[in-house]
Amino acid sequence: DGQVKVRGFRVEVGEVEAVLAGLPGVRQAVVTAGADRHGASHLTAYVVPARRADSEPGHIQAWREVYEELHGAAGGRPPRSGPEFAGWISSSTGQPLVDEEMREWQRLTAGRVLALRPSRVLELGAGDGLVLQPVAPACDEYWATDISPAALARLRSSIAGQHGLHGKVRTLEAEAADLGELPAGFFDVIVINSVIQYFPGLRYLEDVLRSALTRAEPGARIFLGDIRNLRTAECFHTEVRLTSAEDPDAAAVLAAARQAAARENELLIDPAYFLSLPRALPAITAVELHSKQGGYRNELTAYRYDVVLHTGPPRAVRSPAELCWGAGVRDLDDVARHLVAGAPAACCVTGVPDGRVGPAAAALAVLRSGGSPAAARRVLTAPPPPGPGPGAFYDLGAELGYHVQTQSSGPADDRFDVLFSPVADPSRCTFPVRPAAGPLASTPMSRATAPDLIASLRRHARKALPSYMVPTTFVPIDRVPVTPNGKVDRTALPAPGAARGTAGEAPPRTDGETLLCELVGNVLDVEDVGVNDSFVELGGDSIAAIRLAARARDAGLVLMVRDVLEHPAIAELALAAGRPGRRDAAVTPAPVGGPQRFVSLAAGELAEIERQWKALEEE
């Protein structure tokens, strides 16, 4: 059943899978056969990266370098001056998030921390001080750590001389999981805001929480803010793709969204993980979940959430009465009447439509049913139906004397549940732990190692396998989908989509490089090819080399197939193609002449191609 035909050879995909699974950095591999847009058969390898202890320092270091560059200290430059919300970029537009929306986000986040009545605060990953500046004046002491010296320098500069902060704020460079000599049992509130997405995985997060718990006094609370929601990831990536690209059909949008999710370099977590966290960390005795509030719809309000972890003596958990939105209650007035009547001491309103995630979920449903991207965009941008958002329930709770929690719910997480509990002891009432349908967290691909991993796998595969058995495309995934009886569900694997080069890091500089990057991208179906990319590492083979040389000649560039094999890096290939004194420099590019011209080219150079390619494989 696992036998396929690739370029005239019969291949057992199980053999390829066994070789790939035994390579460094791979935990599991699945190989499928398909055809590219030129009709050529090829193999695609889906690999689940191995999680190694030594990968965590590299992951953290990569993000440290990002923030050093962001805050302007890389290369010894002084901290830069700039917008208050520097670095907060929209995933859909690539432009900075609107300052007005960011100010609301800052105000509501600070309000959630201040509601914990902090006195001695420890913030891990303080950054620019977006939480520190509004919260520290209300505290006795505020300790702020960060892994980036540039961020701390900028933070010190921004708070110098501010009224109400003198003598209260201490800053120190420290990694979240290694807090060094910070005082034990001292802090009553610990803040980790908009940082967890940069952690390498759940194990590292639990290490951070264990370290933080040793610094917390009995009864302290830990605020975890701005956590990316794994359950809404497909809606998020679909919305980003619909907003940022013009895809020809629904399948292209869905494939691109799945590919983007597979290549996430940030940590996304299912809220169910936190509800079950007390089993792993018994010092945590209660968990609160909170949807992001705000009057604006953006990726921060729609796709992120907050968590409050309680410490102290274990609490007996109450089971709230349940009201179903649309059946037991139909609007806020109905909810208010139930609360005022005082029938339940605590109640949970389930299934409230979420006007923030709802449009993306509806657009995703359109695409899955075969609708066009244009139709999906209309659904995405249409005004959501009127209805209360999470903020309205928080306001109602404050008015009637209830503590409020919220969490996403519904089949597409396009709804949310609201939990009302007595203000006197809110942590005694929590959402029930729901079994997760899939993994509890994503497996982030390190900014530093994701491209290196793919390149390494390709090199190892070329050494261990015949050329026709080497997969053309490698797709990193979090896990291998399985059927109910435990077999690999190949139909559930994401479409490979187009691979992506490194044009963002090394864009073309000359007309020749620009032309070659475009041609290589078209031939290999790779987006954003840069001058440091290698034709071979991007999946090029001898047949693709023939195609590239032919297209280069059509475009007026003198290029032989042997040039592609001898100089696979685009920058080197551009120099080789433009080198004066070549024996074939006088060749005049011919117009496209159908298959006869391609056959002539292949017949004249095929022996040389095979010789060069074998030498390259042996090397």
Side-chain angles (χ1 to χ4, degrees), residues 117-363:
R117 298 183 179 178
S119 174
R120 298 175 304 281
V121 175
L122 169 63
E123 183 178 3
L124 308 182
D128 278 350
L130 297 181
V131 175
L132 181 153
Q133 296 198 46
V135 172
C139 304
D140 295 328
E141 295 188 44
Y142 201 108
W143 296 52
T145 74
D146 203 279
I147 61 171
S148 166
L152 291 172
R154 187 172 179 185
L155 175 61
R156 295 182 191 110
S157 176
S158 66
I159 65 177
Q162 282 195 30
H163 178 70
L165 296 185
H166 180 69
K168 286 187 176 182
V169 178
R170 305 187 191 191
T171 61
L172 64 156
E173 181 183 348
E175 186 182 324
D178 184 8
L179 299 180
E181 300 302 320
L182 283 172
F186 179 73
F187 300 99
D188 62 348
V189 171
I190 296 175
V191 175
I192 310 175
N193 185 67
S194 204
V195 171
I196 288 175
Q197 60 263 39
Y198 307 123
F199 289 176
L202 292 181
R203 184 181 65 181
Y204 184 87
L205 170 59
E206 291 182 16
D207 288 344
V208 169
L209 292 176
R210 287 189 184 92
S211 180
L213 286 166
T214 64
R215 272 77 182 177
E217 70 176 15
R221 276 75 54 86
I222 301 177
F223 173 79
L224 310 176
D226 232 26
I227 301 166
R228 293 189 60 189
N229 193 343
L230 180 65
R231 294 210 302 251
T232 56
E234 191 171 7
C235 286
F236 168 72
H237 283 292
T238 301
E239 177 175 351
V240 169
R241 189 68 185 187
L242 285 171
T243 306
S244 61
E246 293 290 336
D247 291 293
D249 53 41
V253 178
L254 294 172
R258 286 193 294 265
Q259 184 78 341
R263 294 181 174 180
E264 271 282 2
N265 56 28
E266 295 186 1
L267 179 63
L268 285 69
I269 303 177
D270 189 317
Y273 163 76
F274 292 101
L275 291 174
S276 61
L277 193 56
R279 298 173 186 170
L281 300 175
I284 297 170
T285 54
V287 177
E288 296 182 32
L289 296 179
H290 297 280
S291 303
K292 299 298 286 187
Q293 298 182 57
Y296 298 101
R297 183 186 181 277
N298 55 44
E299 62 189 86
L300 302 184
T301 57
Y303 300 111
R304 304 194 183 194
Y305 62 99
D306 299 333
V307 176
V308 177
L309 306 177
H310 292 256
T311 68
R315 299 164 173 83
V317 177
R318 297 171 179 166
S319 297
E322 188 171 303
L323 303 172
C324 182
W325 188 266
V329 291
R330 299 183 181 275
D331 54 32
L332 280 176
D333 289 339
D334 283 349
V335 177
R337 281 192 286 272
H338 276 82
L339 295 175
V340 170
C347 72
C348 184
V349 181
T350 63
V352 184
D354 192 336
R356 301 167 310 173
V357 181

Side-chain angles (χ1 to χ4, degrees), residues 9 15 39 60 72 90 292 496 504 535:
F9 295 93
E15 294 182 21
I60 299 298
S90 166
K292 299 298 286 187
F535 179 80

